[in-house]
Amino acid sequence: ARPDEPPPASPAPAPAAPRRIVTPRQYLWIVAAAIVAVLALEFLGPVLTPFLVGAIFAYIGAPLVDRLQRRRVSRTIGTLVVVLLFGVAVFAILLVLVPLVQAEIGLAAKKLPELLARLSAHASPWLEENLGIAVALDFASLRDFVAEHLDEAKGYTGRIVAGLKAGGLLLLSIVVNAALIPVVMFYLLRDWHLLWGRLYDLVPARWRWKTRQIAGEIDGVLAEFLRGQGMVMGSLALYYVVGLWIAGLQFALPIGILTGLLVFIPYVGFGTGLVLGMLAALLQWNGVPGFLAIVAVYGIGQILENYVLIPWLIGDRIGLHPLAVIFALLAFGNLFGFAGVLLALPASAALLVGLRHLRKAYAESALYAEDDDEA
């Protein structure tokens, strides 16, 4: 173009795409999805249980598979290795606990008449002296009767249970669920990132950034909580096994391991372990010092758990209060049964993250931050 000619006109900008207006009717998709999820948990809880257990195991094992993949191990091979490791760990725990628990039950059945006779010897004089109630029970005959018919009763019980399992769906259900858990875990681990990507694509575009942020925070809370809680469980299991063994309890190994595993549920592990320890002490000893030793072991364990291990291994950085876990366990268990119990921990983490964001939004709102001009 010559200098005396006007510059060429710039091309007209393309018209902006009209902004889509989200109507309340479109939110019905979200409401419908939530209703479907609740109904599925309500009516399909037993069916969903192996899938939820497999999903929890897959969530725990996903970082290990990712680490193997970063070391150039095939995703499929790494998934198979992790599933086998989980299976070996579960089988080893069952191999140790089941025979010992069976031995404790057999010892309890044999000593039951003796315990009843001891109770009668102490309780009958007290009842007759203080309440005027005369209790006369022939525990010798009861002991002989139980001893004579114990093996026969075991045989009848075994035949009845075997007949029920063979004729019903109980055995089939157990086998199917046990077989489904590793299968679900394998496919979820192998396709972990693919499945999360597809779920993320379903999120509306305007919500994706916030959804990714909240999901990352929930994942961080769950990962820190599970990692710390696992170390707490292992430490307490070792402590209770050693403590009960030093106290002289015959079944220190199964009771200590069970107590350590159950501390995942606040106060349930401590209460269950204490009751089992007291029962085992009642079967093994006659005097009070044995019971005091068990109480001392569990009392020190409770102090160690609440004031040393949890603050040190989990800490305030997570902020997942035990009351929130207890509430989620009770609420989801009451609403959805065992499947709800499995979802209690993710629900607690999601509730915690949601409350944090709600508190932040409230602190930044005009209702909270605006000055009071009338003061």
Side-chain angles (χ1 to χ4, degrees), residues 56 218 222 341-351:
I56 292 173
I218 293 176
L222 279 175
V341 174
L342 295 176
L343 289 175
L345 182 58
S348 300
L351 179 63

Side-chain angles (χ1 to χ4, degrees), residues 31-105:
V31 176
I35 292 175
V36 169
V38 171
L39 292 178
L41 289 173
E42 179 69 25
F43 296 105
L44 299 177
V47 178
L48 292 177
T49 297
F51 292 89
L52 293 175
V53 174
I56 292 173
F57 285 166
Y59 176 81
I60 297 174
L64 182 56
V65 177
D66 292 339
R67 185 175 302 178
L68 291 175
Q69 190 175 16
R70 286 194 295 269
R71 296 188 177 184
R72 298 184 179 180
V73 178
S74 170
R75 183 84 186 180
T76 302
I77 300 299
T79 298
L80 185 61
V81 170
V82 172
V83 172
L84 290 177
L85 287 177
F86 271 76
V88 169
V90 173
F91 180 75
I93 293 174
L94 294 177
L95 191 64
V96 172
L97 292 180
V98 171
L100 293 175
V101 171
Q102 288 179 345
E104 186 173 358
I105 294 174

